Amino acid sequence: MRTRLTFLALALLLGTAACAADPGSSGSPASPDDSGSSGGPSPSSSVAGGAVGTWGNPENSREPSLELHEDGRLTGTDGCNRLMGQWVLEEGKVIFKEVAMTMMACPDVDQWLASAASAVPADDTLLVYDGAGNEIGTLTR
């Protein structure tokens, strides 16, 4: 039974990974060196550049962590299950899209990161929100 669940979770992950976001969409994260019409960085690219990176401690697989890649991919763990998907910047907020995760049973792990829908970087802290807009946790750089 566990093998079948693992296979189904893997199939879901592979199917989701094949659905890449359109790189030309207006919600794609801007790289830190994108320029606005004035020649300097636009406010949205500053937020996107501030969001890119590793949040949490990925070296401790029992703690939640996320890595927001410049190309709009996200990878991470909730402290037990692996996460992968996409992120975009919308109105100054990081929005998580097409997120898939493995489905292992983890009785001692608070899996709050599985409910993440958006996040806002604030200095060296990533404030994470659920779909209702409630803060559900934080990750530090």
Side-chain angles (χ1 to χ4, degrees):
M1 177 74 170
R2 186 173 182 125
T3 302
R4 187 183 331 190
L5 288 175
T6 302
F7 177 75
L8 290 173
L10 181 59
L12 176 66
L13 285 172
L14 292 174
T16 302
C19 300
D22 177 14
S25 69
S26 62
S28 295
S31 65
D33 59 355
D34 284 350
S35 298
S37 59
S38 65
S42 67
S44 62
S45 67
S46 297
V47 173
V52 170
T54 302
W55 300 93
N57 180 6
E59 293 181 22
N60 184 345
S61 63
R62 301 291 293 165
E63 293 181 8
S65 66
L66 282 177
E67 185 165 356
L68 303 180
H69 303 268
E70 278 189 49
D71 64 0
R73 290 179 305 116
L74 74 87
T75 55
T77 181
D78 67 357
C80 176
N81 290 292
R82 302 294 306 162
L83 292 101
M84 61 185 291
Q86 305 290 321
W87 69 278
V88 296
L89 188 67
E90 294 179 1
E91 299 178 13
K93 188 185 294 188
V94 174
I95 306 295
F96 302 124
K97 305 260 184 181
E98 302 174 10
V99 177
M101 65 187 302
T102 58
M103 303 293 287
M104 295 188 308
C106 308
D108 321 0
V109 176
D110 180 358
Q111 296 175 302
W112 63 269
L113 197 53
S115 301
S118 64
V120 175
D123 297 321
D124 285 335
T125 302
L126 187 68
L127 308 171
V128 182
Y129 299 89
D130 64 14
N134 301 309
E135 184 178 321
I136 57 172
T138 60
L139 296 169
T140 57
R141 280 200 199 270

